[in-house]
């Protein structure tokens, strides 16, 4: 039986919270360290479960990895093992990001299919197609992506969709390819920009970071570097929503507020007073939130990872909200749990219509992924009574010191340890 959180309803979150490095950046930066022989140091890393899991993946490839507080040091050998099949591969999605660097450096890779959040079918066709266009063969065999190339050569690649993972893998293979690669319809997420910044520090030649056209001039080799991870905009936004749903007042630091322009605007539409700061923002909500519609899209659209928080907000808002999910079809599984908490919500799988209620009511609920887990905690804070949120290991994968931060800001929340196995 897993651990669970007991969340008391009725708290108003007030205070200041510091956000550290982005989960969806650090894991890719760790993979990028495979591209250069020597010691790469990454700072401002979040102390979350996924970081040691990714460290295990890199160790299985022959790297020395030291995780010390917020600093991860990776020593990459001259000869890498190109077979990534450690048990940790199946526990996180980002493990697939070793594919591009391994193909780039070793010209071959056998990478176990990744795990991660069960938020919908997560195919790798665009990753594979991009590598094929760079001259590698790619197939799925015995649960692994197998890719091999005599030589990688630059190519013009059009992505069907601005996939974050496919952009990262193709980019990390292309930096060591012969000639120039152009990735069109590339993802523009700040985490991709962060990866481009670190790769450039390592000696890669990349133009267009943050735009939908990335041009990569391949180089023969890269050098290790030291890099600070950007602040986690998803965790930052989580606190923004937490202030809005609990009618609280939170100052959030450690994140670039421009990564959250659209999110902060939505919170304003919901009635919050929002101020941007140099290194964060402040959200104050004095009254019941107003209903707001949300549509998830690739960056700079509204992030799909924030959709559960939008639903939590809509559930207690004054009026009816429509939430449209365009990326991951199973994220709306979250709604079943919200209904247990008394939300008036219906979905056809692509859209959800939510009529806000004055007050949710507590119930036992189950987290199906990282963001859904946190969304349930936010909803529990607005519910009458004590809500039990189960399967909180998901939350530990993405939110450092979550319970401690919540409690410090005024929530009554306790982690209840699992009973010892008999
Ligand atoms: C990353 C993030 C995840 C976030 C998502 C979208 C990490 C570890 N995870 O996931 O938190 O929700 O970006 O912002 O960084 N697709 C295909 N074929 C492919 C690749 C993707 O059809 O080859 C589809 C997916 O099913 C999905 C959409 O493209 O519908 C977007 O996926 P993608 O951007 O690749 O997300 P991830 O990189 O998996």
């Amino acid at each position: 039986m897993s651990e669970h959180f007991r969340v008391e309803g009725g708290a108003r979150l007030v205070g200041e919270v510091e956000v550290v490095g982005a989960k969806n950046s650090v894991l890719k930066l760790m993979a990028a360290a495979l591209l250069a022989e020597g010691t790469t140091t990454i700072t401002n890393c979040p102390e979350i479960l996924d970081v040691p899991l990714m460290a295990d993946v890199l160790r299985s490839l022959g790297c020395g990895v030291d995780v010390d507080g917020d600093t991860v040091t990776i020593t990459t050998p001259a000869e890498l093992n190109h077979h990534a099949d450690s048990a940790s591969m199946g526990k996180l999605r980002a493990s697939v990001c070793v594919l591009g660097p391994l193909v780039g450096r070793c010209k071959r890779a056998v990478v176990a299919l990744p795990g991660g959040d069960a938020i919908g079918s997560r195919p790798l066709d665009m990753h594979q197609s991009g590598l094929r266009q760079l001259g590698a063969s790619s197939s799925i065999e015995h649960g692994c992506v197998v890719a091999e190339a005599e030589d990688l050569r630059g190519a013009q690649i059009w992505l069907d969709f601005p996939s974050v993972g496919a952009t990262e893998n193709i980019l990390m293979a292309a930096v060591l390819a012969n000639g120039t690669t152009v990735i069109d319809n590339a993802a523009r997420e700040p985490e991709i920009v962060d990866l481009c910044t670190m790769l450039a520090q390592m000696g890669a030649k990349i133009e267009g970071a943050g735009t939908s056209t990335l041009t990569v001039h391949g180089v023969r080799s890269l050098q290790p570097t030291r890099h600070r991870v950007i602040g986690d905009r998803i965790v930052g936004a989580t606190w923004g929503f937490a202030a809005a749903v609990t009618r609280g007042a939170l100052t959030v630091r450690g994140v670039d507020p421009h990564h959250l322009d659209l999110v902060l605007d939505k919170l304003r539409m919901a009635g919050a007073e929002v101020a941007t700061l140099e290194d964060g923002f402040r959200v104050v909500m004095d009254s019941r939130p107003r209903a707001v519609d949300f549509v998830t899209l690739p960056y700079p659209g509204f992030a799909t990872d924030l959709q559960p928080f939008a639903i939590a907000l809509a559930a207690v808002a004054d009026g009816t909200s429509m939430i449209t999910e365009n990326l991951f079809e199973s994220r709306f599984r979250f709604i079943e749990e919200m209904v247990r908490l008394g939300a008036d919500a219906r979905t056809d799988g692509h859209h959800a219509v939510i009529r806000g209620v004055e007050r949710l009511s507590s119930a036992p609920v189950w987290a199906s992924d990282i963001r859904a887990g946190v969304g349930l905690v936010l909803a529990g804070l607005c519910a009458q009574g004590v809500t039990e949120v189960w399967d909180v290991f998901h939350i530990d994968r993405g939110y450092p010191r979550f319970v401690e931060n919540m409690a410090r800001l005024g929530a009554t929340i306790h982690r209840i340890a699992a009973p010892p196995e008999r």
Side-chain angles (χ1 to χ4, degrees):
M1 192 184 274
S2 76
E3 293 179 332
H4 70 279
F5 293 165
R6 284 171 63 83
V7 184
E8 254 177 53
R12 179 169 188 262
L13 298 192
V14 178
E16 181 163 322
V17 63
E18 181 82 28
V19 172
V20 293
K23 170 181 94 68
N24 286 350
S25 203
V26 67
L27 304 173
K28 324 305 174 59
L29 303 176
M30 290 173 73
L34 292 169
L35 287 163
E37 183 187 343
T39 300
T40 293
T41 304
I42 306 173
T43 59
N44 196 34
C45 299
E47 292 179 46
I48 52 172
L49 222 51
D50 274 10
V51 168
L53 288 175
M54 193 65 179
D56 281 346
V57 171
L58 297 187
R59 283 189 197 105
S60 75
L61 298 172
C63 297
V65 186
D66 180 50
V67 180
D68 182 13
D70 79 343
T71 303
V72 175
T73 310
I74 301 158
T75 302
T76 301
E79 295 289 326
L80 283 167
N81 167 17
H82 66 270
H83 204 127
D85 63 352
S86 85
S88 299
M89 288 294 294
K91 296 184 183 155
L92 72 170
R93 176 71 187 177
S95 60
V96 79
C97 277
V98 301
L99 178 63
L102 286 179
V103 176
R105 266 216 65 208
C106 310
K107 304 289 179 279
R108 61 178 59 87
V110 180
V111 173
L113 289 172
D117 290 323
I119 51 182
S121 76
R122 299 178 86 176
L124 296 175
D125 54 315
M126 284 188 260
H127 301 236
Q128 290 186 283
S129 157
L131 293 180
R132 284 191 199 110
Q133 290 174 73
L134 292 174
S137 63
S138 179
S139 54
I140 307 275
E141 290 170 33
H142 310 294
C144 296
V145 189
V146 180
E148 207 156 351
E150 294 261 310
D151 207 9
L152 289 179
R153 43 179 198 282
Q156 167 75 55
I157 297 169
W158 285 275
L159 293 180
D160 287 349
F161 185 90
S163 153
V164 172
T167 302
E168 290 162 341
N169 261 330
I170 297 166
L171 176 65
M172 287 196 273
V175 287
L176 291 178
N178 282 319
T180 298
T181 299
V182 178
I183 310 172
D184 245 316
N185 202 19
R188 291 185 278 165
E189 270 69 2
E191 294 75 23
I192 303 266
V193 178
D194 201 24
L195 177 61
C196 289
T197 306
M198 175 162 141
L199 290 171
Q201 284 163 202
M202 295 167 79
K205 303 265 177 284
I206 303 169
E207 293 154 20
T211 75
S212 53
T213 305
L214 285 173
T215 304
V216 185
H217 305 287
V219 295
R220 289 180 72 81
S221 65
L222 297 174
Q223 299 80 50
T225 190
R226 186 181 175 88
H227 180 80
R228 182 181 164 84
V229 188
I230 56 164
D232 197 318
R233 66 193 164 99
I234 305 296
V235 172
T238 307
W239 292 115
F241 276 96
V245 298
T246 64
R247 303 183 202 183
L250 291 180
T251 300
V252 183
R253 295 196 185 272
V255 65
D256 183 340
H258 298 303
H259 294 166
L260 292 168
D261 281 336
L262 175 58
V263 176
L264 297 179
D265 207 41
K266 287 283 175 185
L267 294 177
R268 274 187 203 104
M269 285 181 209
E273 232 178 79
V274 178
T276 54
L277 313 169
E278 207 179 313
D279 63 339
F281 58 90
R282 179 166 171 78
V283 175
V284 180
M285 184 69 114
D286 286 326
S287 54
R288 184 174 175 196
R290 288 194 291 270
V292 179
D293 293 340
F294 292 89
V295 179
T296 69
L297 282 171
Y299 189 85
F302 186 78
T304 172
D305 298 64
L306 300 177
Q307 185 239 84
F309 316 139
I311 291 177
L313 180 76
V316 294
D318 186 6
T320 299
S321 310
M322 164 110 87
I323 318 276
T324 305
E325 172 57 51
N326 286 313
L327 277 85
F328 293 113
E329 67 277 6
S330 303
R331 279 223 198 254
F332 277 152
R333 281 169 61 190
F334 174 68
I335 286 184
E336 288 166 32
E337 301 306 301
M338 286 297 291
V339 167
R340 287 183 209 274
L341 292 173
D344 182 351
R346 276 184 303 153
T347 173
D348 67 358
H350 186 50
H351 303 282
V353 174
I354 298 157
R355 289 190 190 85
V357 294
E358 278 277 353
R359 193 88 201 228
L360 297 169
S361 71
S362 62
V365 285
W366 280 262
S368 53
D369 67 76
I370 301 178
R371 314 299 171 191
V374 174
L376 291 171
V377 172
L378 298 194
L381 291 173
C382 310
Q384 213 149 26
V386 176
T387 293
E388 288 179 1
V389 180
W390 288 86
D391 289 349
V392 294
F393 59 89
H394 288 294
I395 298 176
D396 297 333
R397 285 191 40 224
Y399 285 78
R401 287 190 259 282
F402 181 71
V403 169
E404 292 80 348
N405 276 323
M406 276 277 170
R408 197 171 47 74
L409 299 171
T412 306
I413 176 170
H414 298 285
R415 180 189 289 268
I416 310 297
E421 282 188 25
R422 283 195 253 171

